[in-house]
Amino acid sequence: MRKQMVAGNWKMNLGLAEAKTLATEVCQALREAGLPGGENGPQVVFFPPHPFLTTVVEAIGKTPGVSAGAQNCHQEKKGAFTGEVSAGMVRTCGGTHVLVGHSERRAYFGEDENLLAAKIRQVLDEGLTPVYCCGEVLQERDGGRHFEVIASQLGNGLFWLDRDELARTVIAYEPVWAIGTGRTASPEQAQEVHAFIRQRIEASYGEDTARNMTILYGGSCNAGNARELFARPDVDGGLIGGASLKAGDFVQIIRSF
Ligand code: PGA
């Protein structure tokens, strides 16, 4: 059975005290509600800015089903790369996941799929879970090229992995035109692309692998639309930006399955 997941991408927001409070409040609310914890509950992952990771990991403590990760890491193991953070550092700070290929990294930092593939190698080598983001820009959607774009992002960024490695990876479909814009993909649009992603996995890795992969939707997902999105058969949860910064909203999203 594939795992459901709700992840909060905090981006470059909050201060240390706010980050600690947010993680603490979410965990407390989940414990009180008896969520997520159990075998069938969704996994919850916070993606704070790097300097807050240790504090957030401490705030989570032993809350079942909740962990934290990094929004990015470097493609090399170690060395003279001033200002960078390695996957190994994320692991030793208690992180479990790393976002790879978020559209903001692709657009503002020029990250291409060769680079992203190298990052995924590092993340997997450290025993962490990569959350690989893909998605088309508005022009590509309007030109009817979104399937082609996504197929190429998957092919170049991910499909060089062997089957076991791919199975340890989470995919997030984030249409760029829906990120931070308040314009969400409709549940039908999300389902259509998620089903397409699963078909591509099946074509390269077989039905079993495809069936068990967790595929998240991201892009203006919030407490008001999460339930409808998560109800679609191929949508296994969400990667949440803006709405993950408020404990109440984020908890409501987690309860939307
Ligand atoms: P948003 O961001 O929910 O604020 O649209 C999602 C993301 O960028 O991961």
Side-chain angles (χ1 to χ4, degrees):
M1 251 270 290
R2 63 178 177 257
K3 206 65 197 142
Q4 292 171 322
M5 180 186 285
V6 177
N9 176 9
W10 296 355
K11 307 193 182 184
M12 199 171 75
N13 293 300
L14 308 176
L16 180 62
E18 294 165 310
K20 186 176 176 180
T21 303
L22 178 55
T24 305
E25 284 180 4
V26 170
C27 288
Q28 197 179 335
L30 294 176
R31 280 198 300 267
E32 279 168 16
L35 277 163
E39 268 290 283
N40 300 320
Q43 189 175 4
V44 174
V45 187
F46 300 118
F47 288 100
H50 288 315
F52 305 159
L53 181 56
T54 311
T55 300
V56 169
V57 167
E58 280 167 13
I60 294 167
K62 293 199 181 328
T63 311
V66 185
S67 66
Q71 297 171 18
N72 178 39
C73 71
H74 195 259
Q75 64 275 19
E76 299 285 341
K77 210 169 201 57
K78 58 182 265 198
F81 302 105
T82 301
E84 292 295 318
V85 169
S86 71
M89 292 170 185
V90 175
R91 179 180 56 73
T92 56
C93 289
T96 54
H97 293 65
V98 180
L99 292 182
V100 179
H102 189 280
S103 61
E104 288 151 19
R105 301 292 317 173
R106 293 176 190 258
Y108 307 143
F109 302 93
E111 296 193 352
D112 63 18
E113 275 124 26
N114 276 340
L115 180 77
L116 300 178
K119 291 186 183 213
I120 289 173
R121 178 76 275 142
Q122 293 299 327
V123 175
L124 287 168
D125 284 353
E126 292 296 335
L128 305 179
T129 301
V131 178
Y132 181 72
C133 306
C134 60
E136 78 285 1
V137 300
L138 188 59
Q139 221 179 5
E140 292 160 343
R141 162 70 61 170
D142 287 345
R145 298 205 315 280
H146 46 296
F147 290 124
E148 187 190 315
V149 167
I150 292 157
S152 140
Q153 290 171 338
L154 293 173
N156 298 331
L158 270 193
F159 286 179
W160 53 276
L161 294 171
D162 69 29
R163 184 178 284 110
D164 288 347
E165 290 169 336
L166 187 85
R168 289 168 48 204
T169 303
V170 169
I171 296 174
Y173 168 57
E174 298 205 304
V176 181
W177 47 269
I179 295 179
T181 59
R183 184 179 159 190
T184 323
S186 69
E188 293 72 25
Q189 284 173 322
Q191 168 58 28
E192 189 184 31
V193 174
H194 282 229
F196 172 76
I197 292 172
R198 218 177 286 287
Q199 279 159 19
R200 300 301 297 192
I201 299 168
E202 184 174 338
S204 297
Y205 293 91
E207 200 193 325
D208 249 29
T209 308
R211 201 182 30 243
N212 289 314
M213 291 282 302
T214 298
I215 308 176
L216 307 178
Y217 168 78
S220 298
C221 181
N222 58 42
N225 59 28
R227 188 170 294 279
E228 240 196 317
L229 285 159
F230 298 175
R232 301 294 146 150
D234 288 296
V235 179
D236 305 313
L239 176 56
I240 321 297
S244 72
L245 296 171
K246 289 199 183 119
D249 286 3
F250 193 56
V251 169
Q252 203 177 322
I253 295 170
I254 297 163
R255 306 186 73 170
S256 296
F257 289 98

